[in-house]
Amino acid sequence: MNILITGGAGYIGSHTIIQLLEQGYENLYSIDNYLNSSESTYQKIEEITGKKVIFFDIDLTDKASTETFFELNQIAVVIHFAALKSVPDSVNMPLEYYGNNINSLLNILSGAESNGVEKIIFSSSCSVYGNPEKLPVSEETPFGKAESPYASTKQMGENILKDFAKKNKEIEVISLRYFNPVGAHTSGVIGEPFTKRPNNLVPIITQTAAKLRKKITVFGSNYNTSDGSCIRDYIHVDDIANAHIKAINFKNKENLNYSVFNLGTGKGTSVLEIIKAFEKINNITLNYTIGKRRLGDVEAIYAENTVARSALNWTPTRDLETMVKSAWRWQQNM
């Protein structure tokens, strides 16, 4: 069985490739354009697993190149990670986000439809829920108002996939709604790619701890939460990766070919709580200040994950201590 991993050099893609290799999957193909990643990631994957990955430098927004790839390789399963993912960047560059995230998905679906693909697993996001009225959110929670262009691309992506699945009954389609992936591989060899201007909280924390940044800005202190800062459901990247292995083997028992699963721990943690947890667990004092609210941020969200636990036989096993320890180990090894 040939498996395509798009965005395989990226954060979640690389951790998923490692688990696929460790569980005996072969014939893996990775596509990446290295916009937010590096080809050197594949060397690190080989260092950890002792196995090589076949990889291609392809821009998935290029329809001709994407369709040629599908024509030349008999792909059975597509795991589609490749996308731009920064909420603030999407607010500042909406056309780039719509153009990249939607066009790449459309080109993949076109290639899959014409070349015998059996399953598509899509990286969606809890951002599809917007600012939910009720917590935790379940798969039945309706889409809320998208708080950013990034969130809009995920809502649009799921709607496209639902329509695609209706027409292509022979292709099983799964949307995995990630909450907030954090942490790094236990080896410390691979983790969230370094950027000079990170937008996710944990890389900002670790870069501040490593003195690569002067301070952390907590965006907002007057949200309707326990300490006034935003609440998120932080989940270890390896738990997210494991859910994709489960999804490969999943078969909908209700004879439906479109399924959705929340991937979260089911527990909300505030921005200030995770900062204080990092300080306590790693015995480090962080410099942080309180700033204004950031456009595009959701106040609070965390998952109801019983559907994924039951249907996928998936359970998140890494706790907050493992998350922040592994993230700090990765930062120290960079």
Side-chain angles (χ1 to χ4, degrees):
M1 177 172 61
N2 294 344
I3 301 175
L4 169 63
I5 303 97
T6 73
Y11 181 36
I12 306 175
S14 59
H15 285 76
T16 301
I17 288 175
I18 289 169
Q19 290 199 25
L20 285 165
L21 291 171
E22 289 177 340
Q23 295 194 32
Y25 286 89
E26 298 178 347
N27 304 320
L28 305 184
Y29 299 80
S30 177
I31 286 178
D32 210 303
N33 64 359
Y34 312 115
L35 193 60
N36 290 311
S37 60
S38 170
E39 188 177 310
S40 64
T41 300
Y42 300 116
Q43 297 173 351
K44 295 175 181 178
I45 291 173
E46 185 178 356
E47 180 181 341
I48 293 168
T49 65
K51 299 177 181 179
K52 292 181 180 291
V53 179
I54 302 169
F55 57 89
F56 300 83
D57 182 351
I58 295 174
D59 185 343
L60 292 167
T61 63
D62 183 330
K63 184 177 177 64
S65 297
T66 304
E67 291 197 340
T68 297
F69 172 84
F70 278 99
E71 290 166 2
L72 296 177
N73 300 279
Q74 295 179 324
I75 300 299
V77 176
V78 177
I79 306 178
H80 181 39
F81 293 108
L84 297 174
K85 64 173 186 174
S86 165
V87 168
D89 281 355
S90 76
V91 173
N92 293 325
M93 301 182 294
L95 295 183
E96 185 173 345
Y97 268 68
Y98 285 116
N100 183 86
N101 292 4
I102 301 304
N103 286 331
S104 61
L105 175 61
L106 291 173
N107 291 341
I108 286 168
L109 294 181
S110 177
E113 185 177 44
S114 304
N115 293 281
V117 168
E118 300 168 10
K119 177 171 286 189
I120 298 169
I121 302 168
F122 176 65
S123 294
S124 190
S125 163
C126 65
S127 65
V128 300
Y129 298 117
N131 269 302
E133 295 180 1
K134 181 181 177 182
L135 292 171
V137 292
S138 74
E139 290 82 355
E140 299 301 317
T141 301
F143 285 179
K145 174 183 175 293
E147 295 296 323
S148 67
Y150 165 75
S152 290
T153 68
K154 292 303 180 183
Q155 290 181 344
M156 293 169 70
E158 286 202 27
N159 286 330
I160 290 167
L161 286 163
K162 280 189 283 188
D163 289 337
F164 175 85
K166 288 176 184 177
K167 177 179 180 291
N168 296 279
K169 299 292 187 182
E170 74 285 0
I171 302 177
E172 184 154 33
V173 181
I174 300 172
S175 288
L176 299 179
R177 293 174 179 166
Y178 308 161
F179 281 66
N180 284 69
V182 296
H185 191 264
T186 54
S187 64
V189 171
I190 202 165
E192 190 161 2
F194 175 85
T195 61
K196 292 182 179 179
R197 196 167 57 88
N199 292 295
N200 295 334
L201 176 61
V202 172
I204 291 173
I205 289 174
T206 60
Q207 288 184 23
T208 304
K211 308 301 182 184
L212 298 175
R213 299 173 61 91
K214 291 183 179 179
K215 65 179 180 180
I216 302 162
T217 300
V218 178
F219 295 106
S221 61
N222 60 350
Y223 286 100
N224 186 27
T225 61
S226 59
D227 58 22
S229 64
C230 290
I231 288 176
R232 297 290 182 268
D233 188 336
Y234 296 96
I235 179 167
H236 198 284
V237 63
D238 277 332
D239 283 328
I240 292 280
N242 179 253
H244 292 78
I245 316 299
K246 301 286 189 181
I248 290 173
N249 298 306
F250 170 77
K251 182 64 179 175
N252 194 307
K253 294 179 181 178
E254 298 179 5
N255 293 320
L256 300 173
N257 68 319
Y258 183 72
S259 306
V260 175
F261 299 104
N262 281 342
L263 299 184
T265 64
K267 181 180 184 299
T269 304
S270 76
V271 171
L272 288 173
E273 284 174 337
I274 200 166
I275 288 173
K276 291 171 183 176
F278 184 93
E279 289 183 317
K280 180 179 179 181
I281 291 166
N282 294 302
N283 194 26
I284 293 171
T285 300
L286 296 168
N287 180 27
Y288 65 91
T289 59
I290 306 297
K292 295 180 180 179
R293 293 189 182 193
R294 184 173 60 176
L295 191 64
D297 278 344
V298 169
E299 179 172 274
I301 192 163
Y302 55 94
E304 166 60 65
N305 64 10
T306 54
V307 174
R309 285 175 178 270
S310 174
L312 287 182
N313 192 29
W314 169 82
T315 304
T317 61
R318 285 86 170 173
D319 59 14
L320 185 60
E321 180 173 349
T322 303
M323 296 178 207
V324 298
K325 274 188 173 180
S326 63
W328 180 227
R329 185 184 306 116
W330 159 241
Q331 179 70 60
Q332 290 173 303
N333 287 344
M334 275 195 280

PDB file of all heavy atoms in Angstrom, residues 155-186:
ATOM      1  N   GLN A 155     -12.888  25.392   7.397  1.00  0.00           N
ATOM      2  CA  GLN A 155     -14.322  25.176   7.191  1.00  0.00           C
ATOM      3  C   GLN A 155     -14.623  24.867   5.730  1.00  0.00           C
ATOM      4  O   GLN A 155     -15.372  23.932   5.407  1.00  0.00           O
ATOM      5  CB  GLN A 155     -15.094  26.418   7.632  1.00  0.00           C
ATOM      6  CG  GLN A 155     -15.096  26.657   9.129  1.00  0.00           C
ATOM      7  CD  GLN A 155     -15.900  27.889   9.516  1.00  0.00           C
ATOM      8  OE1 GLN A 155     -16.219  28.737   8.681  1.00  0.00           O
ATOM      9  NE2 GLN A 155     -16.232  27.997  10.791  1.00  0.00           N
ATOM     10  N   MET A 156     -14.033  25.661   4.833  1.00  0.00           N
ATOM     11  CA  MET A 156     -14.231  25.440   3.398  1.00  0.00           C
ATOM     12  C   MET A 156     -13.683  24.083   2.988  1.00  0.00           C
ATOM     13  O   MET A 156     -14.310  23.363   2.195  1.00  0.00           O
ATOM     14  CB  MET A 156     -13.553  26.552   2.607  1.00  0.00           C
ATOM     15  CG  MET A 156     -14.182  27.923   2.794  1.00  0.00           C
ATOM     16  SD  MET A 156     -13.186  29.275   2.113  1.00  0.00           S
ATOM     17  CE  MET A 156     -13.396  28.937   0.370  1.00  0.00           C
ATOM     18  N   GLY A 157     -12.527  23.711   3.523  1.00  0.00           N
ATOM     19  CA  GLY A 157     -11.922  22.427   3.205  1.00  0.00           C
ATOM     20  C   GLY A 157     -12.835  21.265   3.575  1.00  0.00           C
ATOM     21  O   GLY A 157     -13.025  20.327   2.787  1.00  0.00           O
ATOM     22  N   GLU A 158     -13.436  21.323   4.763  1.00  0.00           N
ATOM     23  CA  GLU A 158     -14.344  20.255   5.174  1.00  0.00           C
ATOM     24  C   GLU A 158     -15.589  20.208   4.287  1.00  0.00           C
ATOM     25  O   GLU A 158     -16.081  19.124   3.935  1.00  0.00           O
ATOM     26  CB  GLU A 158     -14.733  20.423   6.641  1.00  0.00           C
ATOM     27  CG  GLU A 158     -13.617  20.064   7.612  1.00  0.00           C
ATOM     28  CD  GLU A 158     -14.144  19.720   8.988  1.00  0.00           C
ATOM     29  OE1 GLU A 158     -15.305  19.253   9.089  1.00  0.00           O
ATOM     30  OE2 GLU A 158     -13.394  19.910   9.963  1.00  0.00           O
ATOM     31  N   ASN A 159     -16.119  21.368   3.938  1.00  0.00           N
ATOM     32  CA  ASN A 159     -17.300  21.385   3.055  1.00  0.00           C
ATOM     33  C   ASN A 159     -16.972  20.807   1.678  1.00  0.00           C
ATOM     34  O   ASN A 159     -17.776  20.069   1.092  1.00  0.00           O
ATOM     35  CB  ASN A 159     -17.817  22.819   2.919  1.00  0.00           C
ATOM     36  CG  ASN A 159     -18.527  23.300   4.169  1.00  0.00           C
ATOM     37  OD1 ASN A 159     -19.127  22.507   4.891  1.00  0.00           O
ATOM     38  ND2 ASN A 159     -18.471  24.597   4.431  1.00  0.00           N
ATOM     39  N   ILE A 160     -15.797  21.135   1.166  1.00  0.00           N
ATOM     40  CA  ILE A 160     -15.359  20.565  -0.113  1.00  0.00           C
ATOM     41  C   ILE A 160     -15.255  19.047  -0.013  1.00  0.00           C
ATOM     42  O   ILE A 160     -15.705  18.305  -0.901  1.00  0.00           O
ATOM     43  CB  ILE A 160     -14.011  21.177  -0.531  1.00  0.00           C
ATOM     44  CG1 ILE A 160     -14.183  22.644  -0.939  1.00  0.00           C
ATOM     45  CG2 ILE A 160     -13.375  20.382  -1.678  1.00  0.00           C
ATOM     46  CD1 ILE A 160     -12.877  23.411  -1.061  1.00  0.00           C
ATOM     47  N   LEU A 161     -14.674  18.565   1.079  1.00  0.00           N
ATOM     48  CA  LEU A 161     -14.501  17.126   1.262  1.00  0.00           C
ATOM     49  C   LEU A 161     -15.832  16.393   1.387  1.00  0.00           C
ATOM     50  O   LEU A 161     -15.993  15.279   0.884  1.00  0.00           O
ATOM     51  CB  LEU A 161     -13.629  16.869   2.494  1.00  0.00           C
ATOM     52  CG  LEU A 161     -12.142  17.165   2.302  1.00  0.00           C
ATOM     53  CD1 LEU A 161     -11.445  17.284   3.641  1.00  0.00           C
ATOM     54  CD2 LEU A 161     -11.481  16.091   1.453  1.00  0.00           C
ATOM     55  N   LYS A 162     -16.790  16.999   2.072  1.00  0.00           N
ATOM     56  CA  LYS A 162     -18.111  16.370   2.188  1.00  0.00           C
ATOM     57  C   LYS A 162     -18.769  16.214   0.822  1.00  0.00           C
ATOM     58  O   LYS A 162     -19.328  15.160   0.509  1.00  0.00           O
ATOM     59  CB  LYS A 162     -19.007  17.198   3.123  1.00  0.00           C
ATOM     60  CG  LYS A 162     -18.741  16.955   4.593  1.00  0.00           C
ATOM     61  CD  LYS A 162     -19.762  17.613   5.487  1.00  0.00           C
ATOM     62  CE  LYS A 162     -19.530  19.098   5.605  1.00  0.00           C
ATOM     63  NZ  LYS A 162     -20.413  19.723   6.632  1.00  0.00           N
ATOM     64  N   ASP A 163     -18.679  17.261   0.004  1.00  0.00           N
ATOM     65  CA  ASP A 163     -19.250  17.177  -1.340  1.00  0.00           C
ATOM     66  C   ASP A 163     -18.490  16.173  -2.207  1.00  0.00           C
ATOM     67  O   ASP A 163     -19.086  15.427  -2.992  1.00  0.00           O
ATOM     68  CB  ASP A 163     -19.232  18.560  -2.007  1.00  0.00           C
ATOM     69  CG  ASP A 163     -20.233  19.517  -1.379  1.00  0.00           C
ATOM     70  OD1 ASP A 163     -21.199  19.033  -0.769  1.00  0.00           O
ATOM     71  OD2 ASP A 163     -20.039  20.738  -1.486  1.00  0.00           O
ATOM     72  N   PHE A 164     -17.166  16.145  -2.048  1.00  0.00           N
ATOM     73  CA  PHE A 164     -16.334  15.189  -2.782  1.00  0.00           C
ATOM     74  C   PHE A 164     -16.722  13.758  -2.402  1.00  0.00           C
ATOM     75  O   PHE A 164     -16.832  12.877  -3.262  1.00  0.00           O
ATOM     76  CB  PHE A 164     -14.862  15.457  -2.457  1.00  0.00           C
ATOM     77  CG  PHE A 164     -13.905  14.466  -3.049  1.00  0.00           C
ATOM     78  CD1 PHE A 164     -13.432  14.622  -4.345  1.00  0.00           C
ATOM     79  CD2 PHE A 164     -13.450  13.377  -2.312  1.00  0.00           C
ATOM     80  CE1 PHE A 164     -12.532  13.719  -4.889  1.00  0.00           C
ATOM     81  CE2 PHE A 164     -12.558  12.462  -2.848  1.00  0.00           C
ATOM     82  CZ  PHE A 164     -12.094  12.630  -4.142  1.00  0.00           C
ATOM     83  N   ALA A 165     -16.931  13.521  -1.101  1.00  0.00           N
ATOM     84  CA  ALA A 165     -17.271  12.177  -0.632  1.00  0.00           C
ATOM     85  C   ALA A 165     -18.636  11.728  -1.157  1.00  0.00           C
ATOM     86  O   ALA A 165     -18.841  10.544  -1.460  1.00  0.00           O
ATOM     87  CB  ALA A 165     -17.250  12.136   0.896  1.00  0.00           C
ATOM     88  N   LYS A 166     -19.577  12.650  -1.271  1.00  0.00           N
ATOM     89  CA  LYS A 166     -20.905  12.301  -1.796  1.00  0.00           C
ATOM     90  C   LYS A 166     -20.811  11.784  -3.230  1.00  0.00           C
ATOM     91  O   LYS A 166     -21.518  10.861  -3.622  1.00  0.00           O
ATOM     92  CB  LYS A 166     -21.821  13.526  -1.760  1.00  0.00           C
ATOM     93  CG  LYS A 166     -22.279  13.922  -0.369  1.00  0.00           C
ATOM     94  CD  LYS A 166     -23.106  15.200  -0.421  1.00  0.00           C
ATOM     95  CE  LYS A 166     -23.484  15.675   0.979  1.00  0.00           C
ATOM     96  NZ  LYS A 166     -24.224  16.968   0.931  1.00  0.00           N
ATOM     97  N   LYS A 167     -19.930  12.382  -4.000  1.00  0.00           N
ATOM     98  CA  LYS A 167     -19.789  11.991  -5.411  1.00  0.00           C
ATOM     99  C   LYS A 167     -18.929  10.737  -5.556  1.00  0.00           C
ATOM    100  O   LYS A 167     -19.154   9.918  -6.462  1.00  0.00           O
ATOM    101  CB  LYS A 167     -19.169  13.136  -6.208  1.00  0.00           C
ATOM    102  CG  LYS A 167     -18.914  12.808  -7.679  1.00  0.00           C
ATOM    103  CD  LYS A 167     -18.318  13.988  -8.405  1.00  0.00           C
ATOM    104  CE  LYS A 167     -18.054  13.653  -9.883  1.00  0.00           C
ATOM    105  NZ  LYS A 167     -16.969  12.679 -10.045  1.00  0.00           N
ATOM    106  N   ASN A 168     -17.921  10.588  -4.684  1.00  0.00           N
ATOM    107  CA  ASN A 168     -16.964   9.490  -4.810  1.00  0.00           C
ATOM    108  C   ASN A 168     -17.168   8.492  -3.657  1.00  0.00           C
ATOM    109  O   ASN A 168     -16.407   8.463  -2.690  1.00  0.00           O
ATOM    110  CB  ASN A 168     -15.537  10.045  -4.794  1.00  0.00           C
ATOM    111  CG  ASN A 168     -15.251  10.942  -5.982  1.00  0.00           C
ATOM    112  OD1 ASN A 168     -14.951  10.487  -7.071  1.00  0.00           O
ATOM    113  ND2 ASN A 168     -15.369  12.251  -5.762  1.00  0.00           N
ATOM    114  N   LYS A 169     -18.210   7.706  -3.770  1.00  0.00           N
ATOM    115  CA  LYS A 169     -18.591   6.786  -2.688  1.00  0.00           C
ATOM    116  C   LYS A 169     -17.522   5.735  -2.396  1.00  0.00           C
ATOM    117  O   LYS A 169     -17.477   5.163  -1.310  1.00  0.00           O
ATOM    118  CB  LYS A 169     -19.900   6.081  -3.054  1.00  0.00           C
ATOM    119  CG  LYS A 169     -21.079   7.000  -3.265  1.00  0.00           C
ATOM    120  CD  LYS A 169     -21.515   7.670  -1.980  1.00  0.00           C
ATOM    121  CE  LYS A 169     -22.803   8.461  -2.179  1.00  0.00           C
ATOM    122  NZ  LYS A 169     -23.219   9.156  -0.953  1.00  0.00           N
ATOM    123  N   GLU A 170     -16.654   5.465  -3.375  1.00  0.00           N
ATOM    124  CA  GLU A 170     -15.633   4.439  -3.195  1.00  0.00           C
ATOM    125  C   GLU A 170     -14.412   4.951  -2.434  1.00  0.00           C
ATOM    126  O   GLU A 170     -13.532   4.167  -2.063  1.00  0.00           O
ATOM    127  CB  GLU A 170     -15.190   3.901  -4.563  1.00  0.00           C
ATOM    128  CG  GLU A 170     -14.310   4.831  -5.390  1.00  0.00           C
ATOM    129  CD  GLU A 170     -15.042   5.994  -6.040  1.00  0.00           C
ATOM    130  OE1 GLU A 170     -16.278   6.113  -5.853  1.00  0.00           O
ATOM    131  OE2 GLU A 170     -14.385   6.787  -6.731  1.00  0.00           O
ATOM    132  N   ILE A 171     -14.347   6.253  -2.177  1.00  0.00           N
ATOM    133  CA  ILE A 171     -13.218   6.841  -1.450  1.00  0.00           C
ATOM    134  C   ILE A 171     -13.671   7.212  -0.049  1.00  0.00           C
ATOM    135  O   ILE A 171     -14.655   7.942   0.121  1.00  0.00           O
ATOM    136  CB  ILE A 171     -12.665   8.091  -2.169  1.00  0.00           C
ATOM    137  CG1 ILE A 171     -12.226   7.738  -3.590  1.00  0.00           C
ATOM    138  CG2 ILE A 171     -11.500   8.692  -1.386  1.00  0.00           C
ATOM    139  CD1 ILE A 171     -11.734   8.932  -4.400  1.00  0.00           C
ATOM    140  N   GLU A 172     -12.968   6.697   0.961  1.00  0.00           N
ATOM    141  CA  GLU A 172     -13.297   7.048   2.341  1.00  0.00           C
ATOM    142  C   GLU A 172     -12.553   8.320   2.721  1.00  0.00           C
ATOM    143  O   GLU A 172     -11.346   8.430   2.522  1.00  0.00           O
ATOM    144  CB  GLU A 172     -12.924   5.915   3.299  1.00  0.00           C
ATOM    145  CG  GLU A 172     -13.348   6.208   4.725  1.00  0.00           C
ATOM    146  CD  GLU A 172     -13.586   4.943   5.531  1.00  0.00           C
ATOM    147  OE1 GLU A 172     -12.890   3.949   5.275  1.00  0.00           O
ATOM    148  OE2 GLU A 172     -14.453   4.959   6.413  1.00  0.00           O
ATOM    149  N   VAL A 173     -13.292   9.281   3.277  1.00  0.00           N
ATOM    150  CA  VAL A 173     -12.728  10.584   3.625  1.00  0.00           C
ATOM    151  C   VAL A 173     -12.894  10.812   5.127  1.00  0.00           C
ATOM    152  O   VAL A 173     -13.984  10.591   5.683  1.00  0.00           O
ATOM    153  CB  VAL A 173     -13.416  11.718   2.845  1.00  0.00           C
ATOM    154  CG1 VAL A 173     -12.799  13.070   3.206  1.00  0.00           C
ATOM    155  CG2 VAL A 173     -13.325  11.472   1.340  1.00  0.00           C
ATOM    156  N   ILE A 174     -11.805  11.239   5.778  1.00  0.00           N
ATOM    157  CA  ILE A 174     -11.814  11.481   7.218  1.00  0.00           C
ATOM    158  C   ILE A 174     -11.221  12.856   7.493  1.00  0.00           C
ATOM    159  O   ILE A 174     -10.133  13.176   7.016  1.00  0.00           O
ATOM    160  CB  ILE A 174     -10.991  10.408   7.970  1.00  0.00           C
ATOM    161  CG1 ILE A 174     -11.576   9.019   7.722  1.00  0.00           C
ATOM    162  CG2 ILE A 174     -10.938  10.714   9.461  1.00  0.00           C
ATOM    163  CD1 ILE A 174     -10.722   7.892   8.262  1.00  0.00           C
ATOM    164  N   SER A 175     -11.931  13.667   8.264  1.00  0.00           N
ATOM    165  CA  SER A 175     -11.406  14.943   8.733  1.00  0.00           C
ATOM    166  C   SER A 175     -11.061  14.821  10.209  1.00  0.00           C
ATOM    167  O   SER A 175     -11.916  14.450  11.024  1.00  0.00           O
ATOM    168  CB  SER A 175     -12.437  16.067   8.539  1.00  0.00           C
ATOM    169  OG  SER A 175     -12.583  16.414   7.181  1.00  0.00           O
ATOM    170  N   LEU A 176      -9.808  15.110  10.539  1.00  0.00           N
ATOM    171  CA  LEU A 176      -9.347  15.083  11.922  1.00  0.00           C
ATOM    172  C   LEU A 176      -9.187  16.523  12.399  1.00  0.00           C
ATOM    173  O   LEU A 176      -8.363  17.272  11.879  1.00  0.00           O
ATOM    174  CB  LEU A 176      -8.013  14.337  12.018  1.00  0.00           C
ATOM    175  CG  LEU A 176      -8.038  12.870  11.569  1.00  0.00           C
ATOM    176  CD1 LEU A 176      -6.653  12.252  11.691  1.00  0.00           C
ATOM    177  CD2 LEU A 176      -9.052  12.059  12.375  1.00  0.00           C
ATOM    178  N   ARG A 177      -9.993  16.896  13.367  1.00  0.00           N
ATOM    179  CA  ARG A 177      -9.974  18.267  13.878  1.00  0.00           C
ATOM    180  C   ARG A 177      -8.997  18.370  15.044  1.00  0.00           C
ATOM    181  O   ARG A 177      -9.300  17.981  16.174  1.00  0.00           O
ATOM    182  CB  ARG A 177     -11.384  18.694  14.294  1.00  0.00           C
ATOM    183  CG  ARG A 177     -12.342  18.807  13.113  1.00  0.00           C
ATOM    184  CD  ARG A 177     -13.769  19.089  13.559  1.00  0.00           C
ATOM    185  NE  ARG A 177     -14.659  19.213  12.395  1.00  0.00           N
ATOM    186  CZ  ARG A 177     -15.994  19.199  12.467  1.00  0.00           C
ATOM    187  NH1 ARG A 177     -16.587  19.067  13.643  1.00  0.00           N
ATOM    188  NH2 ARG A 177     -16.710  19.325  11.360  1.00  0.00           N
ATOM    189  N   TYR A 178      -7.810  18.898  14.741  1.00  0.00           N
ATOM    190  CA  TYR A 178      -6.784  19.043  15.771  1.00  0.00           C
ATOM    191  C   TYR A 178      -7.150  20.179  16.722  1.00  0.00           C
ATOM    192  O   TYR A 178      -7.661  21.215  16.303  1.00  0.00           O
ATOM    193  CB  TYR A 178      -5.423  19.412  15.175  1.00  0.00           C
ATOM    194  CG  TYR A 178      -4.907  18.551  14.065  1.00  0.00           C
ATOM    195  CD1 TYR A 178      -3.919  19.031  13.223  1.00  0.00           C
ATOM    196  CD2 TYR A 178      -5.387  17.266  13.849  1.00  0.00           C
ATOM    197  CE1 TYR A 178      -3.415  18.261  12.195  1.00  0.00           C
ATOM    198  CE2 TYR A 178      -4.889  16.488  12.828  1.00  0.00           C
ATOM    199  CZ  TYR A 178      -3.911  16.991  11.996  1.00  0.00           C
ATOM    200  OH  TYR A 178      -3.418  16.230  10.976  1.00  0.00           O
ATOM    201  N   PHE A 179      -6.769  19.995  17.975  1.00  0.00           N
ATOM    202  CA  PHE A 179      -6.855  21.105  18.902  1.00  0.00           C
ATOM    203  C   PHE A 179      -5.468  21.787  18.900  1.00  0.00           C
ATOM    204  O   PHE A 179      -5.057  22.291  17.869  1.00  0.00           O
ATOM    205  CB  PHE A 179      -7.424  20.650  20.241  1.00  0.00           C
ATOM    206  CG  PHE A 179      -8.933  20.524  20.135  1.00  0.00           C
ATOM    207  CD1 PHE A 179      -9.518  19.562  19.321  1.00  0.00           C
ATOM    208  CD2 PHE A 179      -9.764  21.432  20.755  1.00  0.00           C
ATOM    209  CE1 PHE A 179     -10.892  19.491  19.139  1.00  0.00           C
ATOM    210  CE2 PHE A 179     -11.147  21.377  20.589  1.00  0.00           C
ATOM    211  CZ  PHE A 179     -11.705  20.402  19.781  1.00  0.00           C
ATOM    212  N   ASN A 180      -4.682  21.784  19.909  1.00  0.00           N
ATOM    213  CA  ASN A 180      -3.412  22.541  19.869  1.00  0.00           C
ATOM    214  C   ASN A 180      -2.213  21.606  20.041  1.00  0.00           C
ATOM    215  O   ASN A 180      -1.809  21.337  21.178  1.00  0.00           O
ATOM    216  CB  ASN A 180      -3.410  23.626  20.940  1.00  0.00           C
ATOM    217  CG  ASN A 180      -4.265  24.811  20.560  1.00  0.00           C
ATOM    218  OD1 ASN A 180      -5.491  24.696  20.513  1.00  0.00           O
ATOM    219  ND2 ASN A 180      -3.638  25.933  20.262  1.00  0.00           N
ATOM    220  N   PRO A 181      -1.639  21.131  18.938  1.00  0.00           N
ATOM    221  CA  PRO A 181      -0.489  20.224  19.022  1.00  0.00           C
ATOM    222  C   PRO A 181       0.739  20.927  19.601  1.00  0.00           C
ATOM    223  O   PRO A 181       1.085  22.041  19.186  1.00  0.00           O
ATOM    224  CB  PRO A 181      -0.246  19.823  17.561  1.00  0.00           C
ATOM    225  CG  PRO A 181      -1.515  20.158  16.839  1.00  0.00           C
ATOM    226  CD  PRO A 181      -2.066  21.341  17.546  1.00  0.00           C
ATOM    227  N   VAL A 182       1.380  20.272  20.549  1.00  0.00           N
ATOM    228  CA  VAL A 182       2.607  20.810  21.154  1.00  0.00           C
ATOM    229  C   VAL A 182       3.558  19.648  21.434  1.00  0.00           C
ATOM    230  O   VAL A 182       3.227  18.485  21.253  1.00  0.00           O
ATOM    231  CB  VAL A 182       2.316  21.569  22.472  1.00  0.00           C
ATOM    232  CG1 VAL A 182       1.459  22.787  22.215  1.00  0.00           C
ATOM    233  CG2 VAL A 182       1.640  20.660  23.497  1.00  0.00           C
ATOM    234  N   GLY A 183       4.766  19.968  21.892  1.00  0.00           N
ATOM    235  CA  GLY A 183       5.728  18.946  22.277  1.00  0.00           C
ATOM    236  C   GLY A 183       6.597  18.503  21.125  1.00  0.00           C
ATOM    237  O   GLY A 183       6.554  19.064  20.026  1.00  0.00           O
ATOM    238  N   ALA A 184       7.402  17.483  21.387  1.00  0.00           N
ATOM    239  CA  ALA A 184       8.373  16.999  20.408  1.00  0.00           C
ATOM    240  C   ALA A 184       8.618  15.510  20.626  1.00  0.00           C
ATOM    241  O   ALA A 184       8.211  14.933  21.634  1.00  0.00           O
ATOM    242  CB  ALA A 184       9.682  17.775  20.545  1.00  0.00           C
ATOM    243  N   HIS A 185       9.312  14.906  19.667  1.00  0.00           N
ATOM    244  CA  HIS A 185       9.645  13.478  19.764  1.00  0.00           C
ATOM    245  C   HIS A 185      10.523  13.232  20.985  1.00  0.00           C
ATOM    246  O   HIS A 185      11.334  14.092  21.375  1.00  0.00           O
ATOM    247  CB  HIS A 185      10.372  13.035  18.491  1.00  0.00           C
ATOM    248  CG  HIS A 185      10.525  11.559  18.370  1.00  0.00           C
ATOM    249  ND1 HIS A 185      11.674  10.898  18.753  1.00  0.00           N
ATOM    250  CD2 HIS A 185       9.667  10.601  17.924  1.00  0.00           C
ATOM    251  CE1 HIS A 185      11.520   9.609  18.536  1.00  0.00           C
ATOM    252  NE2 HIS A 185      10.319   9.396  18.034  1.00  0.00           N
ATOM    253  N   THR A 186      10.376  12.067  21.584  1.00  0.00           N
ATOM    254  CA  THR A 186      11.110  11.762  22.820  1.00  0.00           C
ATOM    255  C   THR A 186      12.624  11.812  22.648  1.00  0.00           C
ATOM    256  O   THR A 186      13.356  12.060  23.601  1.00  0.00           O
ATOM    257  CB  THR A 186      10.730  10.359  23.340  1.00  0.00           C
ATOM    258  OG1 THR A 186      10.926   9.401  22.276  1.00  0.00           O
ATOM    259  CG2 THR A 186       9.296  10.320  23.795  1.00  0.00           C
TER     260      THR A 186
END
